[in-house]
Amino acid sequence: MLNERKPRKRICYVPIPGGVASFLLFAGIFFTACQSRQFNIFDEESQSRSASPTGTAAPSATPAAALGHARDKVIVQLFDWPFREITAEMAKLARLGYGRIHVSPPQLSIARKEWWGRYQPVDYRVIEGPLGNEDEFKEMNAAADKHGIDIIVDVVFNHMANPDMHNHDSEITSAPEVLDYPGAALLAKYGLPGPLFDATAFHDGFCTRNYSDRNQVLNGRLCGKPQDKGLPDLDHTKDFVVKAQKEYLARLRGYSVDGFRIDAVKHMPPAAISKVFDPADFPADMLLFGEIIADVNSFDADLEPYLRDTRLAYYDFPLLTTLRGAFAFGGSLKTLVDPVGAKGALADDRAITFVANHDMPQNGATFAHLFLYPRQNRVRLASEPAPDRRDEALAYAFLFARKDGVPYVYSDRGMAGGLQTDDYKNEHRRSDLAAMIAFRKAVVGTPQALVWESPETLGLARGDSAFAFINKSGLPFTKTTLDLPGLKAGTYTDLLSGNTVRVAAGKVKTFEIAARSAALFVLKK
């Protein structure tokens, strides 16, 4: 079949003028992807391939599997949603089938309403800010428990707030740096017994400028402009730093929190992760996951040490790369048959699989090129047609149909972020995602078998009572007879369209999938 879509343009991405470290929470620098060379979305990360992380102790044994349970519990990220709004949404989330909610960092942070304020902590001992207070946080967790939904909390342990932002509520000043958290005024306001951290809690105050230097990546600050003081980098060789962070985690667990997403993992050595998230402190089935941007080229240097020496699962950025290639013009869905074997995906028990997370729309000039569909870093006029997001929908269908990993859905409140876009406003309410969740629940734990592959189409059987089909082509896919060996005889319903097919003797007669669409069939009971 021919792919009728237009080729994607190679677009150069350049730094945002006036950016500060507040907006560069994960990568630390801007990417560049241009026509003049091979398109690679992981240039900054791949610079560090020549050296593995320092401060890593040789493991005595492989950590416990990170995703050993509840594979049917799909994660939804309700990015920057206030706790009360999440509580009000809880019944709907349960009806849609979501099993886990990833919430934004709840700890006291700088006094800024922008989303990135939550990623500049001031004190772990206080839960209060634009998202809500401690009572509202508890109410959200109680509502989640009532509906059988897990709460996953975003934690920021690599750094504390930019001293300028914290002490002066401005971006850059000439005032002397003061590393005192939370500061005298907040100590008095909240009746805290004493400072959480002072200057002794941090590495020396230098900015990370060379991302091929692992010492800078692990011990330096995330900074913006040359005169920016950056985000002070916590020293996890200090026992009191680890103790404060572990106490925060224990307190959240006491509020019935069910797991944690760890921010800026690549800026902490595996040994630090293992100290703070000591497997002895957590049930083996507690979900712990983090973010490390890497692809097949940087897999061994950037991801492997963390996969080996920590028990965390991770966002499956290698699979995102594979998906982008597979759904691109001229790409082949055959690359999705066994992406794990080619290091184009994480292993089953370590993979949080996704097509978007909050970095992509909110840090537009840096991460816009991670999307599966063409984007431009500007406001879209009301008269313009919306970008074609069908590749994203097809990729979601693949993630929910495959056996490996746990699917993750990104949804926000309509953010005026880096891309000035409402594309993901209430994304989790989409009916097709609800159908995919239902398919996931029907097939979880069943084996996967390949029943059809071509550059444009892919078919997967799940167990003996379900199968999925994806057609990225601009033309319908038709087969006079489709072989489905091992499937039970009976009528199968596509949960996405409601269409039915009849399987008899392991075959379907006159099978057709519309252009640029997916189908998720389950046997009628």
Side-chain angles (χ1 to χ4, degrees):
M1 296 287 183
L2 296 176
N3 190 321
E4 295 184 338
R5 290 174 296 157
K6 295 180 180 179
R8 301 184 189 274
K9 295 179 180 178
R10 305 299 195 201
I11 302 173
C12 290
Y13 293 90
V14 297
I16 304 173
V20 296
S22 314
F23 297 96
L24 306 178
L25 301 171
F26 307 104
I29 67 170
F30 293 96
F31 297 96
T32 301
C34 302
Q35 285 181 307
S36 59
R37 58 180 173 79
Q38 179 65 37
F39 186 56
N40 181 2
I41 65 175
F42 298 103
D43 291 331
E44 178 266 319
E45 295 283 343
S46 64
Q47 292 176 17
S48 60
R49 297 173 197 160
S50 60
S52 55
T54 60
T56 303
S60 58
T62 301
L67 295 177
H69 79 306
R71 298 301 186 85
D72 61 328
K73 286 196 169 185
V74 172
I75 307 167
V76 58
Q77 181 183 22
L78 295 182
F79 181 66
D80 216 41
W81 276 53
F83 307 138
R84 279 188 170 176
E85 291 187 19
I86 294 175
T87 300
E89 190 81 359
M90 202 68 68
K92 180 175 290 185
L93 290 163
R95 288 195 301 271
L96 291 169
Y98 292 100
R100 296 181 174 109
I101 305 169
H102 170 198
V103 303
S104 296
Q107 82 289 315
L108 184 67
S109 300
I110 58 172
R112 298 295 291 259
K113 293 182 178 180
E114 298 92 339
W115 67 267
W116 43 265
R118 257 63 76 213
Y119 291 85
Q120 294 200 32
V122 170
D123 201 304
Y124 307 139
R125 298 168 296 183
V126 178
I127 295 177
E128 186 170 306
L131 303 184
N133 59 32
E134 186 169 350
D135 287 339
E136 292 163 344
F137 183 79
K138 290 178 181 179
E139 290 168 5
M140 176 188 68
N141 279 276
D145 288 343
K146 177 182 176 181
H147 288 90
I149 296 176
D150 294 347
I151 295 295
I152 311 299
V153 171
D154 210 334
V155 292
V156 185
F157 283 168
N158 174 69
H159 56 263
M160 297 296 283
N162 186 308
D164 282 343
M165 290 286 197
H166 173 37
N167 298 316
H168 311 287
D169 195 30
S170 61
E171 292 191 358
I172 296 174
T173 77
S174 59
E177 178 172 275
V178 179
L179 297 181
D180 179 22
Y181 299 89
L186 293 177
L187 279 176
K189 177 179 179 180
Y190 294 106
L192 296 168
L196 179 68
F197 296 133
D198 60 17
T200 64
F202 301 95
H203 291 121
D204 292 340
F206 65 91
C207 288
T208 302
R209 301 299 185 192
N210 179 2
Y211 278 75
S212 64
D213 183 339
R214 289 298 290 168
N215 177 61
Q216 290 191 36
V217 170
L218 295 172
N219 301 318
R221 297 182 178 186
L222 301 178
C223 300
K225 288 183 176 181
Q227 65 269 38
D228 177 27
K229 295 181 178 68
L231 304 175
D233 195 77
L234 285 163
D235 183 352
H236 287 89
T237 66
K238 305 292 179 64
D239 289 342
F240 69 92
V241 171
V242 173
K243 180 175 182 290
Q245 294 182 342
K246 293 179 77 167
E247 287 176 349
Y248 176 53
L249 296 175
R251 180 183 174 200
L252 292 178
R253 288 187 58 200
Y255 296 156
S256 195
V257 165
D258 303 287
F260 301 98
R261 179 265 188 192
I262 300 89
D263 174 65
V265 169
K266 68 163 282 182
H267 296 284
M268 295 181 282
I273 299 294
S274 294
K275 276 186 183 179
V276 177
F277 295 92
D278 186 340
D281 295 338
F282 299 92
D285 62 356
M286 176 161 277
L287 179 60
L288 306 172
F289 71 97
E291 177 187 55
I292 295 176
I293 300 177
D295 64 0
V296 63
N297 295 315
S298 58
F299 192 103
D300 290 342
D302 291 342
L303 259 172
E304 185 57 38
Y306 292 88
L307 293 170
R308 182 184 66 236
D309 298 342
T310 77
R311 63 158 290 194
L312 269 59
Y314 293 92
Y315 285 120
D316 201 342
F317 274 99
L319 182 57
L320 180 63
T321 315
T322 304
L323 289 169
R324 283 183 56 81
F327 286 101
F329 182 83
S332 175
L333 296 188
K334 288 186 175 184
T335 60
L336 302 180
V337 172
D338 183 22
V340 175
K343 293 186 178 178
L346 297 181
D348 174 32
D349 64 344
R350 307 301 288 273
I352 304 297
T353 60
F354 68 105
V355 300
N357 68 5
H358 70 263
D359 276 321
M360 293 157 66
Q362 305 311 324
N363 284 309
T366 307
F367 293 108
H369 55 288
L370 291 175
F371 286 104
L372 273 81
Y373 61 99
R375 293 305 308 263
Q376 293 179 339
N377 184 34
R378 62 178 177 81
V379 178
R380 189 172 69 246
L381 300 177
S383 59
E384 292 181 278
D388 184 351
R389 294 181 61 194
R390 281 179 290 182
D391 282 337
E392 232 180 43
L394 296 178
Y396 264 130
F398 171 73
L399 297 184
F400 281 85
R402 73 193 290 258
K403 175 179 69 68
D404 292 350
V406 170
Y408 176 101
V409 173
Y410 171 73
S411 185
D412 60 35
R413 301 166 66 228
M415 307 294 291
L419 289 178
Q420 301 286 309
T421 178
D422 280 347
D423 283 355
Y424 294 94
K425 183 177 181 179
N426 297 328
E427 181 86 343
H428 64 284
R429 297 176 183 172
R430 281 172 35 186
S431 60
D432 62 331
L433 288 173
M436 294 178 198
I437 294 172
F439 183 85
R440 172 80 179 186
K441 289 178 179 291
V443 303
V444 67
T446 63
Q448 174 180 308
L450 179 68
V451 296
W452 179 264
E453 63 172 319
S454 78
E456 306 295 335
T457 49
L458 183 71
L460 301 173
R462 293 300 310 274
D464 60 5
S465 303
F467 70 100
F469 225 90
I470 298 168
N471 177 22
K472 78 164 189 171
S473 172
L475 299 172
F477 171 81
T478 303
K479 284 279 290 180
T480 304
T481 302
L482 179 66
D483 291 323
L484 296 169
L487 260 65
K488 292 179 178 178
T491 299
Y492 286 69
T493 301
D494 173 18
L495 300 184
L496 290 170
S497 69
N499 296 333
T500 61
V501 296
R502 179 74 182 170
V503 175
K507 299 179 186 297
V508 174
K509 299 291 186 181
T510 316
F511 181 78
E512 181 172 317
I513 296 293
R516 308 281 284 132
S517 70
L520 302 172
F521 288 97
V522 295
L523 179 64
K524 280 187 175 181
K525 300 298 185 182

